[in-house]
Amino acid sequence: METMALSGELVATGLRKWYHPKGQAPVHVLDDCSFKIEPGKLTVVMGTSGCGKSTLAYILCGYLNADGGQVTMDGQLVKEPGSSRLMVFQETALWPWMTILQNVVFGPLAKSNISKEEANRKALELLRKFGLLEFKDKYPGQLSGGMKRRAELAQALINSPKVMVLDEPFRGLDVMTRELMQEYYIKLFEETRLTTVFITSELEEAIFLADRILIMGGAPSKITHTLEVDLPHPRTFDVLASERYLEIKQEALEVLYGDSIQHIC
Ligand SMILES: Nc1ncnc2c1ncn2[C@@H]1O[C@H](COP(=O)(O)OP(=O)(O)O)[C@@H](O)[C@H]1O
Ligand SMILES: [Mg+2]
């Protein structure tokens, strides 16, 4: 008998990607980019600005085709976007002319695989969980940055995805809100163990959240290093003062900047 496939395993093999901007030389963004996202784990992808993180996220979710290589989810080739792999974009995905509740129920209702009552029930449950119930009839413009990000998480989670791909979701938030959101997300992850690919360029955010960090580098980019983050769960900010955290940070700094520091000195 066949063993049951694990749910939410993404495998990228030999991804290559070029852009061809009009009137300019082609941009070779990814080359031979291979890695595995383990189900039930929070994997952080880190890399400098412009190294191809968003490009990789689009390919993982099926919004963009690679020029070479492939992505599979639970053994199935990823060819197009699907509600089992959901992406929270770098830019807001809330429609400004809809209320928060309308935004959250929109996806499932558009697919019409759920009744309006059921969609509303699920949405209200999520909004309660994210502390947004009393803002359900407000428009995105009336919400703070942190609230908008939480509403976007609710908007994605109502589809019960197997994998969440979050592209720098807390970028642009002030430091305190950002830290609150990190705590929020790690709690949510610990509760659901929803397979997560979390993209960031912030090392401290990466270590705080990750079970594993994949570091992108090179030009064109690939995954150059993998760091295991064996800090205990449930994770709280106390962990930032632990010896193990500092060791991991040191190791990461060497991987990230070792060469360039030597170069400057
Ligand atoms: N549609 C596009 N056309 C041409 N070049 C692009 C396009 N999208 C991204 N790029 C270029 O590809 C590289 C990687 O971009 P991106 O994936 O957005 O990186 P990151 O998310 O790591 O900042 C950058 O040099 C960017 O300028
Ligand atoms: Mg990006």
Side-chain angles (χ1 to χ4, degrees):
M1 208 175 88
E2 231 180 46
T3 49
M4 212 172 82
L6 283 167
S7 178
E9 181 185 62
L10 282 175
V11 180
T13 317
L15 295 178
R16 289 171 214 287
K17 181 71 193 171
W18 280 265
Y19 287 111
H20 300 276
K22 269 211 176 100
Q24 290 172 45
V27 188
H28 191 179
V29 181
L30 301 176
D31 195 72
D32 198 18
C33 185
S34 302
F35 56 89
K36 197 194 256 187
I37 302 295
E38 279 187 40
K41 293 252 160 94
L42 197 160
T43 303
V44 168
V45 176
M46 260 200 88
T48 50
S49 175
C51 79
K53 302 181 297 300
S54 294
T55 302
L56 183 62
Y58 290 132
I59 295 173
L60 283 181
C61 292
Y63 289 100
L64 196 64
N65 289 319
D67 297 306
Q70 63 173 36
V71 176
T72 59
M73 183 163 109
D74 296 333
Q76 302 277 339
L77 206 57
V78 170
K79 294 185 198 146
E80 57 194 358
S83 55
S84 59
R85 294 175 313 279
L86 276 179
M87 181 160 170
V88 172
F89 294 92
Q90 210 168 292
E91 307 303 332
T92 186
L94 297 171
W95 288 286
W97 61 89
M98 288 186 195
T99 66
I100 296 307
L101 180 61
Q102 287 167 341
N103 263 288
V104 175
V105 295
F106 182 81
L109 288 183
K111 275 184 269 133
S112 61
N113 53 3
I114 190 171
S115 69
K116 199 166 179 210
E117 292 69 36
E118 180 66 3
N120 270 321
R121 192 190 58 74
K122 279 179 111 176
L124 293 173
E125 200 180 298
L126 281 164
L127 290 174
R128 178 172 306 114
K129 198 182 177 93
F130 286 110
L132 291 172
L133 201 52
E134 59 190 287
F135 300 92
K136 68 181 170 58
D137 298 322
K138 301 260 187 249
Y139 290 86
Q142 298 172 285
L143 265 57
S144 71
M147 286 174 177
K148 275 190 252 190
R149 294 297 57 187
R150 299 204 302 268
E152 284 154 18
L153 287 175
Q155 196 185 34
L157 287 169
I158 195 169
N159 298 289
S160 311
K162 288 185 182 170
V163 177
M164 282 277 277
V165 177
L166 300 145
D167 188 8
E168 302 201 55
F170 308 147
R171 197 169 79 159
L173 296 176
D174 61 87
V175 177
M176 269 177 71
T177 308
R178 187 173 186 136
E179 288 174 354
L180 285 171
M181 287 302 295
Q182 291 164 1
E183 238 184 347
Y184 230 97
Y185 197 78
I186 196 86
K187 271 205 202 111
L188 182 76
F189 170 74
E190 284 162 352
E191 232 175 87
T192 59
R193 288 278 157 183
L194 175 60
T195 310
T196 300
V197 181
F198 190 106
I199 297 174
T200 185
S201 49
E202 292 267 319
L203 180 58
E204 284 172 10
E205 177 167 271
I207 304 175
F208 178 63
L209 294 173
D211 292 312
R212 174 179 288 164
I213 303 176
L214 304 177
I215 294 175
M216 281 178 88
S221 293
K222 60 173 71 163
I223 303 299
T224 54
H225 295 87
T226 301
L227 291 173
E228 301 298 334
V229 180
D230 52 5
L231 297 168
H233 285 283
R235 236 174 250 180
T236 59
F237 278 114
D238 296 347
V239 89
L240 302 186
S242 71
E243 206 166 305
R244 185 67 192 127
Y245 172 83
L246 294 173
E247 275 170 22
I248 295 170
K249 189 170 172 186
Q250 182 63 32
E251 193 184 340
L253 284 170
E254 274 162 29
V255 167
L256 286 168
Y257 305 117
D259 294 344
S260 46
I261 289 169
Q262 275 166 20
H263 190 69
I264 294 164
C265 301

